[in-house]
Amino acid sequence: MKRTIWLSAEIREEIEEILLILERTPLDADEILVDAPKSVLATMNLPAAVAGARVVAVPYSYATGISVPDKLRSLVSFSWRLVRRRPIMVFSGFSMMKHRLAAWLTRVPHAAYIRGVVFDPEVVVGISDKLRFGALRRLVPRRIVATYWADAVLTIGELNRQFLRGRGLSDQAIHVVGPVWLDGSSSAERAGDAGDRGNRGTAYFVTGAWEAHGRSEEHEAQLRITRRLAGEWRGTKRFALRVHPRDNYPYETDPAFARVELNRDLPGDFLTSLTADDVLITPLSTLAFEALHLGRTVVFYADPVATKAYFHMYERLGIDARSIDEILDGDLSSTRPAVEVFSRVDFDTASAALAGLVRR
């Protein structure tokens, strides 16, 4: 019988980085099935093999939204395919309910990879947390509704470890492996080589995927901010939007952004393209910390609605965030945090965590 690792993710970077982890921490596997949306796999050139295991794409095209019907459709499809394949391990990106529930029902070990920087464990995200904190919380097993739960969670730094502890994970389940994409294997590491575009640089406002996470108030506040910046920008740098991969607002058809450059490049490509003259205007985001790691200028912004959930984290991280008024007045000085969010890359820790999981 084939020994199969089931890699399940919806984000290209998650897939690439999990494959990198599997390459550097080889397991005794015959094949790696990459279970991802067809639209994501269409943008990728998957390797034929990783650490001797054949790589096979398993694309799907059903909706992956936040509605209950979408979640149920995703769960049924994923569970059925998992039962048919019986992998030795599910290795997911962000730990979704379909991963947790299907792995629990089929008794398949589940590893999750949290590549993003996460902050406040008390913030409720999606259907899982609504169940976890809702009236039915005593009827649903915690391991199913604890959003970040898995048998082993591989993540990027001590800040994330503290977050995961706050979400109820044990120390034994949390493994800090560092930002593996910054280990010299990614083109993002060469961002410093990007040439000057022959201008004074671009100020990129980095949008968040508020609506995709069901936070409509923050989404509307972000729209007000971006429309104001687009209409009132008077700095020497060009103003542009760096659109979050899950931000589905149609900026192209909104007249407020008719003259604004919209950047939807893959994160690695975007980071590589940045010059020393460019600036990111951003809330707390993984992209911001990646840019800082690569020596770029980042201005964290504060707004009473859009970033209200971040204020205590700004204080905790020692970030002097700028108001939109200050930014429009030309204050684009870098606002580096006092806390380091990335740990060193540690493939030995990843190897031990995964080997121990598969031996079960």
Side-chain angles (χ1 to χ4, degrees):
M1 185 175 180
K2 286 184 178 179
R3 287 174 60 83
T4 300
I5 295 173
W6 191 285
L7 194 170
S8 178
E10 294 184 355
I11 305 297
R12 174 172 173 165
E13 288 74 28
E14 290 176 345
I15 297 170
E16 291 175 338
E17 291 155 27
I18 290 173
L19 287 174
L20 175 60
I21 291 170
L22 291 173
E23 179 183 8
R24 298 291 296 274
T25 61
L27 300 171
D28 181 18
D30 300 308
E31 64 180 4
I32 300 169
L33 300 184
V34 182
D35 168 60
K38 185 181 297 184
S39 59
V40 173
L41 290 176
T43 69
M44 301 185 66
N45 184 22
L46 293 175
V50 167
R54 187 168 65 105
V55 176
V56 181
V58 187
Y60 58 79
S61 56
Y62 56 76
T64 58
I66 63 174
S67 70
V68 172
D70 285 344
K71 292 290 187 184
L72 290 174
R73 189 179 301 110
S74 174
L75 173 61
V76 170
S77 175
F78 182 78
S79 299
W80 170 242
R81 289 181 292 154
L82 204 62
V83 167
R84 290 179 60 195
R85 296 282 189 168
R86 293 297 301 178
I88 61 173
M89 178 179 68
V90 170
F91 199 160
S92 72
F94 180 81
S95 175
M96 294 184 283
M97 185 182 287
K98 70 176 183 181
H99 301 133
R100 301 189 300 272
L101 182 54
W104 175 58
L105 290 173
T106 58
R107 298 186 178 181
V108 176
H110 173 206
Y113 172 57
I114 309 300
R115 79 174 304 276
V117 184
V118 286
F119 304 100
D120 188 348
E122 298 302 319
V123 173
V124 176
V125 178
I127 294 174
S128 294
D129 277 352
K130 290 177 181 177
L131 289 172
R132 177 176 173 236
F133 295 109
L136 299 177
R137 62 185 178 276
R138 298 183 184 278
L139 302 178
V140 185
R142 179 181 177 85
R143 63 189 297 165
I144 294 173
V145 295
T147 305
Y148 293 85
W149 189 91
D151 294 305
V153 179
L154 281 62
T155 193
I156 58 175
E158 290 300 324
L159 187 67
N160 279 19
R161 186 200 295 275
Q162 295 168 25
F163 172 92
L164 292 167
R165 283 174 178 161
R167 299 291 294 194
L169 275 76
S170 68
D171 282 336
Q172 291 73 26
I174 306 169
H175 307 275
V176 175
V177 301
V180 299
W181 69 94
L182 295 178
D183 187 46
S185 302
S186 168
S187 60
E189 187 75 354
R190 301 190 298 272
D193 297 333
D196 192 344
R197 298 191 189 94
N199 54 47
R200 297 186 180 180
T202 300
Y204 291 97
F205 183 94
V206 179
T207 75
W210 298 116
E211 195 170 40
H213 290 103
R215 302 179 75 90
S216 58
E217 188 178 13
E218 287 86 346
H219 171 71
E220 292 299 325
Q222 179 175 264
L223 277 179
R224 288 194 295 272
I225 291 168
T226 51
R227 284 170 178 160
R228 183 184 174 196
L229 289 171
E232 299 180 26
W233 189 262
R234 51 186 176 271
T236 56
K237 299 183 187 296
R238 293 184 304 160
F239 176 73
L241 290 185
R242 162 61 194 175
V243 183
H244 190 286
R246 290 190 176 183
D247 180 1
N248 295 320
Y249 183 76
Y251 295 99
E252 289 84 353
T253 60
D254 187 330
F257 305 104
R259 298 180 181 178
V260 174
E261 174 190 342
L262 303 176
N263 183 288
R264 297 182 184 272
D265 292 345
L266 292 170
D269 294 339
F270 174 70
L271 287 169
T272 303
S273 74
L274 292 176
T275 75
D277 295 321
D278 294 330
V279 174
L280 300 190
I281 303 168
T282 177
L284 288 179
S285 69
T286 303
L287 187 70
F289 293 111
E290 290 173 328
L292 285 170
H293 180 87
L294 297 171
R296 295 309 182 227
T297 300
V298 174
V299 179
F300 292 95
Y301 80 88
D303 176 81
V305 178
T307 63
K308 63 182 177 181
Y310 292 157
F311 288 162
H312 67 294
M313 291 305 305
Y314 281 150
E315 182 177 0
R316 177 182 168 189
L317 296 175
I319 292 174
D320 180 18
R322 306 285 187 263
S323 70
I324 299 303
D325 285 335
E326 289 173 324
I327 290 169
L328 281 171
D329 285 340
D331 188 349
L332 296 178
S333 53
S334 186
T335 51
R336 292 190 67 90
V339 175
E340 180 56 61
V341 300
F342 293 141
S343 296
R344 68 178 181 85
V345 175
D346 183 0
F347 285 107
D348 289 340
T349 291
S351 182
L354 297 178
L357 198 62
V358 171
R359 281 200 299 266
R360 291 185 180 185

